[in-house]
Structure formats: structure tokens, C-alpha cells
Amino acid sequence: MGQHTERGAGAISSRQEEVLCKILVTSDIHGFIYPTDYRTTEERPLGLAKLATLIRRERAHTPGLLLIDNGDAIQGTPLCTFHVKNHPHDVHPSITVMNLLGYDAAVPGNHEFNYGQELLGKAIKDARFPWLSAGILDEGSGEPAFGKPYVIKTTQEGVRIAILGVTTHYIPHWEHPRHIPGWTFQDALETVKAWVPRIREAEQPDLLVVSYHGGFERDLATGAPTERLTGENQGYAMCLEVPGIDVLITGHQHRMIAGEVGGVTVLQPGTGGQALGQITVRFKRGADGRWIVREKTAELLVPDAAVEADAEVLELVRPLESATQAWLDQPIGRVEGDMTIESPLACRLADHPFMEFVNRVQMEAAGVDVSNAALLSEASKGFAGSITLRDVLTNFMYPNTLTVLRLTGKDIREALEQTANYFVMGEDGEIAVNPAYSRPKAQHYNYDMWEGIEYELDITRPVGQRVVKLTRNGAPLQDDTVVDVVMNNYRASGGGDYEMYRGKPVIREIQTDMAELVAEYIQRHGTIYASCDGNWRVIKGSSTGAGETAFRPRPLPLP
């Protein structure tokens, strides 16, 4: 099953005995079509419109090339948010552009599931190309939920190229259960191990490509783990443990990779349309008449300022883009005082008015008095003066909802120790960011800041022993004390290695996404006030030793 044979993908060279094939790859576009920075409206060298220029250029040289998207196409920009909120019954702008450009196949990424099955189902239905994901199954039938696990493309010279699609099976750890009912997510590595020999035997392709919305769990040169081996990313294992793969397309981590691992050509083209991946394969005809791979290369085609955005793509999306920009510029309130973030590092070293505000919005929405939240982007600037929807959406770019978990004091201490792993002591004796949170993938959003408790993290102490103060309302927080805590749904699922949250009682779920909650709060109050009770800080060396001295929070002015 799963066979789907079509013509395309090749260009004959000067000798019939040799054939050159190209595969172009996008991944993690996240709804970036216009080359627009939605925070500033400035043009940047990114977006599908710029990649479209490169795609058309390469197709002019190699008319039969293949074009594949590796996932996370329909979520991530205000354009996507505006579409979902105001025009959900229209064709998604990413799908519209992908149809125009003639994609041959796409693989669902984890963010394709953020808006639920109805919107994802419509995107799949509206696409004029197959979606491939061998490991996501319908619970009832046990068959692939998206219809095809793989396709076969045959060039005019008879070269047979198999493309197997697979998606990280870690999605249930992050996604709200209401978005994925009736689907099971099989281990991606085991899925590839099962399907590759099956395709080799049944189809006998000349080239086998795995398009995997997932990344690399190990250093590509040394094989040393670069993260906890949870199964979220399994690209390295696929290269070394699954014979028969010629090319592995990856994504999810937003890295820029073009190279080889264990004889497998590997590629990952960044995020937001930063680059177009290109796989070039040269075949020669064997004695038996079959095509044999002679050479494989991977490279990244990076659009610069000289690359003009494709005019047809821009025009196709212009009405929605213009409406989105007008929507973003609507003032919804103002801030009295200063909630601007001058430095993400400084924001994470001590309680900050912006994070104080975020946590208090969460506590009000959930009806609890303890909260944790993360600064979601290094580009977040906080609020100052007049606040627009643009300000809100650029600070809250993920469609996270809120979950209230019932935790113990022990759970909270363990969570704070996990948070404290974000920092190390630099060679200059100053507190610095742990490199593991910057490379190979930026994960600064896995550092949480709390409200409703008082704490100090001493980075000079050993990992796992850095919480030197932990109190609530001025009294030590005991290990067996039960506390209801609100946080985003990603964190509540254990995302970011917060294993202590897994399986904890869910007391309440707030179904409205955080950006909408913040916008509604600002609109309701009109004016919000920058204030900070200083309930936590990160230090170099504890001034109180055992941590018995508690913070005495200052009351916040009421809005």
C-alpha cells in the first residue's frame, strides 16, 4: 500500500547514460510568506515569496525537479493567526502558495496540529499534493491517518524516487488531546525501520528519501548526545541504524544543515524561509540497465537582499496580508510605567515587570495564586506606551493555552532546579547561559519565571542543588504542601524536560490561547501598570546560606 507513481523529478544530462535529479526542500516555514518582520514591518531575507523566486529559477534549469515541504507550514505568524480567527473557511495562505508552486508532497509537522483536526483536515483537503506520514495512524483502522505513507516519483528517464514521510511521535507530549483524538503516534525511528525495507523490496526505487519532521539528537561529527534522548529527535539514529536510506530531510530544530551522516545525505533548511534546501543526485546507468547513484550532494540556497520576492506569490496573498497588518496596528490599551525588555538575560536574572504581568494574567484567568511563565522569544520587547495587537502577538507567538496542575512543594523545587540548569558560571566569573540552551537548537523558552512563591537560585552551587530559598507567603514551602499552579499547556505536558509534571492531576484547562487572554485583559483594563514585587532572583553565592530568610513581597498597585 501507499504507492503513488508520477512523472517528474529529472533532467537529462548531455549523455543518456547519466541523469541528474534535483529535490528542493522547505521546512518550518511557519506561515512566513511575505519577507516581513511582523514586529517592525521591515523587509527581511526570508519567507516563502523569496524562496519562490529561487524555486522558479531552479525549475527553469531542471524542469522535472521535486519540491517537498517538511512540515510546520500553517502556524507561526500573525498572518496565520488572522486567517484562523477571521477566514477559517478559506484556503490557508500557506496552502494557496504551495499549490501555486506545485509542491509534490508535504509532511505534517507538530505545529500543524495546533489548531485542531478540523483546520488541519481542511488544509490537507485543499492541498493539491499528498501529505505523507507513515507513523500517524487512525486508531480504528490502523492505517496511516493522512492516506499515504510514501509516494513514488518516476522521471522521464525512468529513475524511480521513493519519498517516505514521517513525523516526530512526540506530539502527544505537547499537543492538547482535543486536537488529536482518534490518532496514534508511532515511534518515528521504528516506523522508518519498518517502512524502508518494505519500500525497497516492493518498489525497488533508485533513490529512497525519508522526509522526517524531526531533527538530530546527536552531534553529527562525533555522535555525542546533544540533548536528552527522549525520542523527540531521531535523525542520527535513522542514518546509522536504517540501511537503505539515501537522503534524510529533517526539520523541527530550525537548524541550517547540509552534509552527510553515515553515508546518508542530510539536510535541514532553517525556519521561516531562511533557506531553500537542495539535494542534487547524479545517476549512471548500470550494466543491467538500472540507475545507480553516482554522487549525492546537499546545499542550502539562502536568499539575500538581491533576491526579489516572487510577484505572483505576493499578489496572491496581498489582500490577507494587508488586512493582517491593519489588524495588528489596532491600539487595544496602554501601559503606565515601563514593561520593556532591554535584555533577555537580565529579564531572566531577576523578577521583571513584563513577566510579572504575564504571570498575573495567567493567575487571574485560572483562578489560582501561583504561576510560571517563560519569555518565549529573544526578540520579545515587552510593552511600553500604547499597546497594539502587533505588540501582543509578537510577544506571544505560540497558540499556547493554560493548564492548572496540582503539584507538591517537592515538584516545585524540582522544577526550579530544572529551570536553574539554564545558567552556568562563565570563565569570567559571571552568570552565563548554558550553551545547551542555545545549540544546536535555541531553547530559551524552557526557562520559567514564577509568581506566587519566593525563591533564589544560586548558580555557583552544583546542578540539582541550586534552589537556596523557596518560600510561599514568607514561610518555607514544605515538600508535601499541595499547590495548584497555572502554566502553559506545553510545559504542563512535561515539555522542556520538566518530567516532574508528567502525570500530575489536571485541575483546570483554559481553552483560550494566551495571546487572546493577554489582549482581552489589556482591552478590559484599558491601562495596565508596570510593577514588580521582586519575589525571585538568580545569584552568585547565597548570602543567607540555608535560605531561611524569605522575600517580603511588596503589594502591587491595582489596575
Side-chain angles (χ1 to χ4, degrees):
M1 65 160 292
Q3 181 175 348
H4 184 71
T5 304
E6 297 177 7
R7 294 287 175 179
I12 192 164
S13 69
S14 58
R15 294 193 304 122
Q16 183 66 39
E17 294 302 304
E18 293 190 358
V19 171
L20 178 145
C21 294
K22 283 187 179 180
I23 303 170
L24 301 183
V25 178
T26 57
S27 189
D28 298 271
I29 292 294
H30 284 291
F32 277 96
I33 298 174
Y34 267 60
T36 302
D37 185 330
Y38 284 97
R39 300 184 304 272
T40 64
T41 72
E42 295 175 347
E43 181 172 323
R44 295 179 58 200
L46 52 71
L48 196 49
K50 288 218 171 194
L51 296 191
T53 299
L54 301 181
I55 290 167
R56 292 189 195 274
R57 184 185 72 189
E58 294 303 319
R59 189 170 272 146
H61 297 311
T62 313
L65 60 76
L66 292 180
L67 179 58
I68 300 170
D69 185 77
N70 193 51
D72 281 3
I74 67 173
Q75 177 278 335
T77 58
L79 179 73
C80 296
T81 302
F82 182 78
H83 165 80
V84 170
K85 289 182 177 297
N86 297 281
H87 303 283
H89 301 299
D90 294 344
V91 179
H92 191 285
S94 293
I95 302 300
T96 297
V97 175
M98 292 165 73
N99 284 340
L100 172 71
L101 295 175
Y103 274 73
D104 292 280
V107 175
N110 54 295
H111 284 289
E112 255 70 69
F113 297 84
N114 286 168
Y115 298 121
Q117 288 186 338
E118 183 177 355
L119 191 138
L120 175 55
K122 178 168 172 40
I124 291 170
K125 180 181 178 182
D126 289 337
R128 296 200 291 266
F129 47 83
W131 291 71
L132 314 174
S133 195
I136 303 176
L137 306 182
D138 179 85
E139 285 182 355
S141 66
E143 296 295 325
F146 300 104
K148 294 184 178 72
Y150 70 93
V151 292
I152 302 292
K153 307 291 286 189
T154 304
T155 75
Q156 62 183 7
E157 300 83 19
V159 177
R160 290 170 55 79
I161 300 175
I163 306 164
L164 172 66
V166 66
T167 304
T168 176
H169 60 272
Y170 226 60
I171 289 170
H173 291 276
W174 310 310
E175 196 55 68
H176 197 290
R178 73 175 183 274
H179 290 164
I180 53 176
W183 289 339
T184 59
F185 294 79
Q186 294 190 320
D187 184 283
L189 176 60
E190 295 306 315
T191 298
V192 172
K193 285 182 177 180
W195 275 100
V196 166
R198 184 173 173 179
I199 294 170
R200 281 288 182 192
E201 180 179 358
E203 307 290 357
Q204 298 187 12
D206 302 304
L207 188 78
L208 196 151
V209 178
V210 174
S211 187
Y212 167 50
H213 190 84
F216 292 100
E217 72 280 27
R218 295 179 181 272
D219 183 274
L220 302 190
T222 67
T226 53
E227 61 187 36
R228 289 181 63 250
L229 302 180
T230 62
E232 176 182 351
N233 299 298
Q234 300 172 300
Y236 191 89
M238 289 179 186
C239 290
L240 269 64
E241 298 179 21
V242 188
I245 301 175
D246 295 307
V247 175
L248 179 66
I249 296 165
T250 63
H252 185 53
Q253 294 173 312
H254 300 178
R255 299 168 66 185
M256 301 275 274
I257 296 171
E260 184 177 289
V261 175
V264 178
T265 301
V266 298
L267 183 71
Q268 189 173 146
T271 182
Q274 287 177 297
L276 179 67
Q278 179 171 273
I279 304 289
T280 303
V281 185
R282 297 184 181 274
F283 295 89
K284 66 179 180 180
R285 196 179 295 278
D288 60 356
R290 292 284 305 276
W291 292 108
I292 300 169
V293 175
R294 194 185 77 181
E295 181 185 26
K296 300 176 295 172
T297 59
E299 60 182 315
L300 298 172
L301 309 180
V302 181
D304 56 24
V307 175
E308 296 287 339
D310 184 87
E312 188 176 4
V313 169
L314 295 181
E315 192 58 35
L316 197 62
V317 183
R318 190 179 307 279
L320 188 67
E321 175 73 16
S322 298
T324 299
Q325 294 291 350
W327 176 66
L328 288 174
D329 287 329
Q330 296 175 24
I332 59 172
R334 60 182 297 275
V335 59
E336 182 76 24
D338 188 6
M339 285 190 189
T340 57
I341 299 171
E342 299 295 333
S343 161
L345 177 62
C347 180
R348 295 185 177 105
L349 287 173
D351 196 16
H352 186 280
F354 179 74
M355 295 310 303
E356 179 104 13
F357 167 74
V358 174
N359 274 312
R360 292 196 175 274
V361 170
Q362 292 189 174
M363 289 189 291
E364 180 187 280
V368 298
D369 58 7
V370 180
S371 170
N372 68 55
L375 184 65
L376 297 177
S377 170
E378 298 307 275
S380 291
K381 298 300 181 184
F383 297 142
S386 177
I387 303 171
T388 66
L389 279 173
R390 188 185 303 278
D391 298 321
V392 173
L393 288 172
T394 52
N395 281 288
F396 302 92
M397 68 289 296
Y398 303 114
N400 290 328
T401 56
L402 298 179
T403 301
V404 178
L405 295 184
R406 182 154 291 168
L407 304 177
T408 64
K410 181 175 183 290
D411 296 327
I412 293 173
R413 181 177 290 275
E414 289 178 359
L416 289 171
E417 292 289 358
Q418 173 62 32
T419 282
N421 291 340
Y422 180 79
F423 291 116
V424 294
M425 292 302 299
E427 293 181 358
D428 60 357
E430 297 299 321
I431 297 172
V433 176
N434 184 339
Y437 286 78
S438 300
R439 300 186 304 272
K441 175 186 178 181
Q443 300 181 64
H444 303 288
Y445 50 77
N446 284 328
Y447 177 86
D448 288 338
M449 292 160 274
W450 291 65
E451 194 61 41
I453 58 173
E454 305 88 46
Y455 62 94
E456 281 188 0
L457 307 177
D458 183 356
I459 308 307
T460 65
R461 294 174 63 87
V463 169
Q465 302 175 36
R466 290 176 166 182
V467 179
V468 294
K469 289 185 180 180
L470 177 55
T471 63
R472 184 182 182 201
N473 299 323
L477 182 60
Q478 304 299 325
D479 280 357
D480 58 356
T481 299
V482 175
V483 183
D484 289 347
V485 181
V486 60
M487 63 193 76
N488 72 47
N489 61 309
Y490 169 76
R491 186 69 78 241
S493 70
D497 295 334
Y498 286 80
E499 298 292 330
M500 70 293 302
Y501 295 154
R502 296 196 190 279
K504 291 298 157 54
V506 175
I507 303 305
R508 189 173 304 110
E509 293 177 318
I510 293 85
Q511 308 296 347
T512 307
D513 73 59
M514 190 57 187
E516 191 170 334
L517 287 173
V518 170
E520 187 277 332
Y521 183 98
I522 295 170
Q523 288 171 318
R524 175 157 40 90
H525 289 284
T527 299
I528 60 174
Y529 296 85
S531 56
C532 189
D533 64 6
N535 66 300
W536 67 271
R537 62 178 177 169
V538 178
I539 61 173
K540 299 185 297 179
S542 173
S543 59
T544 56
E548 293 302 320
T549 301
F551 285 96
R552 299 296 178 184
R554 300 188 302 275
L556 288 173
L558 295 175

